[in-house]
Amino acid sequence: MKKYKIYFWISTIFIVLFEGVMPLLSYDTELAREGIRHLGYPAYFGTALVVFKVLGSVLLIIPKLPPRVKEWTYAGFAFDFVFASISHGVVDGIGGQAIFPLVILAILIVSYVNYHRMLAVEKQPFNSFKDDKIQSPVSG
């Protein structure tokens, strides 16, 4: 269980830094506006994207959130990375800009897999000796 938590938190913190903190700190820069414009999206799309990335990042790090909410959060990030890769591939051609979102998607998958491993471990019964029959000294 401990190694799953370590893998989960390392990959999740990476996603939160890259997809929550960095966009929040840089969304109002000329570089960010030009990036959205370069891909052919309207300016408001960049703002909406940052809002959802920050919200998704917060949802990823909240412990004990219902699994269905986490599933939708992971799905949203997966769509974001796939479509970012497609957008860059169409506009800039296949290169670093188109491949980088897929690398981040791979890190997201590490987080997702380990999140489910942690859930599976939590659902296991506490007593792993459940097949052992312990008889009470009172029973006759």
Side-chain angles (χ1 to χ4, degrees):
M1 169 82 159
K2 189 173 183 174
K3 75 176 178 181
Y4 300 145
K5 280 187 177 182
I6 291 169
Y7 294 151
F8 168 78
W9 282 110
I10 288 172
S11 56
T12 303
I13 287 172
F14 186 85
I15 295 296
V16 167
L17 290 174
F18 249 80
E19 294 300 311
V21 175
M22 283 178 48
L24 183 62
L25 296 176
S26 63
Y27 80 95
D28 201 24
T29 64
E30 186 54 40
L31 182 63
R33 285 190 291 271
E34 177 54 36
I36 292 294
R37 209 172 18 249
H38 171 72
L39 293 173
Y41 295 114
Y44 65 84
F45 182 75
T47 304
L49 197 56
V50 169
V51 168
F52 284 113
K53 284 182 176 196
V54 170
L55 179 62
S57 295
V58 169
L59 292 175
L60 280 184
I61 61 172
I62 294 176
K64 304 299 180 193
L65 198 65
R68 184 168 297 205
V69 175
K70 291 257 191 186
E71 288 288 329
W72 278 100
T73 304
Y74 279 111
F77 275 119
F79 291 137
D80 174 45
F81 300 142
V82 168
F83 287 113
S85 181
I86 292 170
S87 293
H88 284 289
V90 168
V91 173
D92 300 324
I94 302 300
Q97 292 281 53
I99 300 214
F100 187 71
L102 299 178
V103 172
I104 305 299
L105 176 62
I107 295 169
L108 181 75
I109 291 169
V110 170
S111 173
Y112 178 79
V113 166
N114 285 287
Y115 168 70
H116 279 284
R117 286 178 176 165
M118 290 183 335
L119 280 181
V121 169
E122 287 175 5
K123 289 181 182 178
Q124 287 181 353
F126 179 72
N127 185 359
S128 61
F129 302 105
K130 62 182 177 187
D131 293 332
D132 293 347
K133 299 208 187 288
I134 300 173
Q135 294 192 355
S136 169
V138 182
S139 65

